[in-house]
């Protein structure tokens, strides 16, 4: 038997060791939490994401206090130039050499798919600007998340409503990479069962600026709806050139499936008026969104308004930091468990939950571009047509083929 003094000393040593282990666990693995914003910084998709997403991430870090678990939060930035191999190379170095704990944004679905696969269980992946629904389907990850909309959501929100309103024949102009291909599959999946018909498809390189050949095909098809399954500069150029061909005046309707506020700004209200698209955020939708916009403008040093992608980056980064704090560690698997456990409650997503497959259950709104006469000032571009809850438009978990989601 130990004496009381020795027993107390040993007990104190045991408790002290436990406290030290607990303290060691409750801090980042390398003494810092690093977050990487990886997107198109200067290319065709940079306006709706790019440096504006960096400003959103910086603002989220500032709002969190600049530290987590008592250690500093650092931000790094990379430009994947819309090349999957380059994006994967940057991500691999960040994770394996530079100790980056979470990667956010992306914008190019091929980049997202490559990065999410290589980072599985090694880093938290917050897909904000990428649209392929494979990210929470067959290519899902235990440490991967989808924070904005996706191809099946866009198809559900736009396809059914358009067919019901008489747009029953479609011609698809498709960006020739995984984003566009995924959108095409989803549009076909929704339009055809709803009674519509796909009368033609034309695919274009993401780097093209001349859409005349594709638009001529679409015009000749006599389709009631010409769906632009592309984004950013590709969409802007498509719409401008469609105006030159008199497509809308001829009775055909343009449907922008991936569209952003910056697209409206570039086109101008005279050209863009009447276009409809879905988005999870608009800077002027309520007081909270307007307050975020005021602070984002100050952070960015601009009078522009943030897009829904840039707002989503803020929300995703803040949710990640809250999960690190709650988990007491930056271990990606444990942090990911907390992201799924904690509600997301900010101006972007009020009380939203993250499903087992990594999908944030955030509703969308169908917006229509205002006419010049309806606009009351700078960046007053959109009017809400219909709000759609997440359960109505996001593919249900019962249809998920994510191997990490619970068996249905």
């Amino acid at each position: 038997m130990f004496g009381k003094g020795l027993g107390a000393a040993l007990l104190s040593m045991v408790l002290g060791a436990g406290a030290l282990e607990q303290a060691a666990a409750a801090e980042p693995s390398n003494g810092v939490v690093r977050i990487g914003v990886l997107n198109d910084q200067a290319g065709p998709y940079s306006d709706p994401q790019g440096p504006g997403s960096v400003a959103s991430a910086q603002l989220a870090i500032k709002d969190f206090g600049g530290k987590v678990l008592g250690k500093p939060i650092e931000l790094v930035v990379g430009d994947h130039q819309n090349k999957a191999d380059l994006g994967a190379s940057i991500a691999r170095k960040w994770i394996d050499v530079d100790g980056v704990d979470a990667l956010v944004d992306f914008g190019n679905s091929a980049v997202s798919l490559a990065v999410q696969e290589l980072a599985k269980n090694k880093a938290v992946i917050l897909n904000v600007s990428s649209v392929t629904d494979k990210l929470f389907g067959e290519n899902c990850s235990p440490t991967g998340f989808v924070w904005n909309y996706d191809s099946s959501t866009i198809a559900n929100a736009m396809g059914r409503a358009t067919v019901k309103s008489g747009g029953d024949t479609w011609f698809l102009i498709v960006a020739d990479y995984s984003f566009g291909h995924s959108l095409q599959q989803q549009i076909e999946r929704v339009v055809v069962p709803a009674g519509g018909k796909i009368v033609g498809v034309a695919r274009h390189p993401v780097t093209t600026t001349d859409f005349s050949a594709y638009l001529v095909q679409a015009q000749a098809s006599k389709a009631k709806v010409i769906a632009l399954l592309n984004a950013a500069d590709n969409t802007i150029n498509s719409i401008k050139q469609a105006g030159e061909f008199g497509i809308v005046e001829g009775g055909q309707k343009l449907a922008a499936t991936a569209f952003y506020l910056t697209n409206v700004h570039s086109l101008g209200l005279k050209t863009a008026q009447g276009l409809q698209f879905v988005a999870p955020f608009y800077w002027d939708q309520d007081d909270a969104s307007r307050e975020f916009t005021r602070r984002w403008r100050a952070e960015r040093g601009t009078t522009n308004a943030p897009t829904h992608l840039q707002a989503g980056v803020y929300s995703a980064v803040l949710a990640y930091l809250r999960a690190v704090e709650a988990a007491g560690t930056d271990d990606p698997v444990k942090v990911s468990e907390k992201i799924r456990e904690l509600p997301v409650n900010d101006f972007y997503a009020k009380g939203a939950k993250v499903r087992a497959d990594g999908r944030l259950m955030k509703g969308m709104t169908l917006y229509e571009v205002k006419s010049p006469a309806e606009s009351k000032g700078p960046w007053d571009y959109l009017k809400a047509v219909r709000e759609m809850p997440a359960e109505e438009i996001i593919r249900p978990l019962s249809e998920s083929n994510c191997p990490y989601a619970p068996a249905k």
Side-chain angles (χ1 to χ4, degrees), residues 365-368 382-387:
T365 301
L366 177 64
Y367 289 104
E368 182 173 306
L382 306 181
K383 56 185 176 183
V385 176
R386 179 175 177 241
E387 293 185 3

Side-chain angles (χ1 to χ4, degrees), residues 89-114:
S89 177
I90 293 170
R92 185 176 291 108
K93 179 178 182 297
W94 277 0
I95 296 167
D96 295 341
V97 179
D98 300 334
V100 172
D101 302 291
L103 286 75
V104 62
D105 206 15
F106 308 112
N108 181 295
S109 294
V111 173
S112 277
L113 290 167

Side-chain angles (χ1 to χ4, degrees), residues 31-35 57 60-62 64-69 71-75 317 320-321:
V32 63
V33 169
R34 290 194 178 93
I35 300 171
I61 291 169
K62 286 183 179 180
F64 197 78
K67 291 185 177 181
V68 61
L69 303 178
K71 300 298 181 180
I73 304 165
E74 294 182 358
L75 189 69
V317 170
Y320 169 74
L321 293 173

Side-chain angles (χ1 to χ4, degrees), residues 46-56 58-59 261-262 265 283 290-307 310 378-379 381:
S46 60
D47 277 353
Q49 45 176 281
S53 289
V54 177
S56 294
Q58 290 170 332
L59 189 56
L261 192 64
T262 47
H265 186 72
W283 75 270
R290 285 186 285 272
E291 175 59 17
F292 167 73
T293 298
R294 182 190 66 77
R295 297 171 58 248
W296 181 87
R297 282 170 167 164
E299 181 71 29
R300 181 89 171 88
T302 183
T303 58
N304 294 350
T307 65
Q310 291 156 347
W379 293 92
Y381 294 157

Side-chain angles (χ1 to χ4, degrees), residues 333-346:
V333 174
K334 292 179 180 178
V335 172
S336 294
E337 291 171 355
K338 285 297 180 182
I339 291 176
R340 289 177 170 86
E341 176 184 324
L342 300 173
V344 178
N345 196 19
D346 54 32

Side-chain angles (χ1 to χ4, degrees), residues 182-205:
S182 179
L183 268 179
Q184 179 182 342
Q185 292 170 4
Q186 296 300 335
I187 288 291
E188 291 173 344
R189 178 186 61 81
V190 173
V191 167
V192 175
K197 183 180 180 180
I198 309 298
V199 299
V201 177
R203 291 184 172 180
H204 67 81

Side-chain angles (χ1 to χ4, degrees), residues 113-176:
L113 290 167
V115 170
Q116 181 156 290
E117 178 61 29
L118 71 86
K120 192 176 295 181
N121 293 323
K122 295 163 63 177
V124 173
I125 300 301
L126 300 162
N127 296 286
V128 177
S129 300
S130 303
V131 184
T132 175
D133 63 353
K134 292 180 180 180
L135 291 165
F136 66 105
E138 64 261 40
N139 296 103
C140 73
S141 164
T143 56
F145 300 90
V146 174
W147 220 257
N148 209 289
Y149 57 17
D150 63 87
S151 54
S152 61
T153 299
I154 294 169
N156 286 334
M158 295 293 294
R160 291 190 181 99
T162 303
V163 171
K164 287 180 180 178
S165 65
D168 56 2
T169 54
W170 290 55
F171 189 98
L172 311 182
I173 296 179
V174 185
D176 194 11

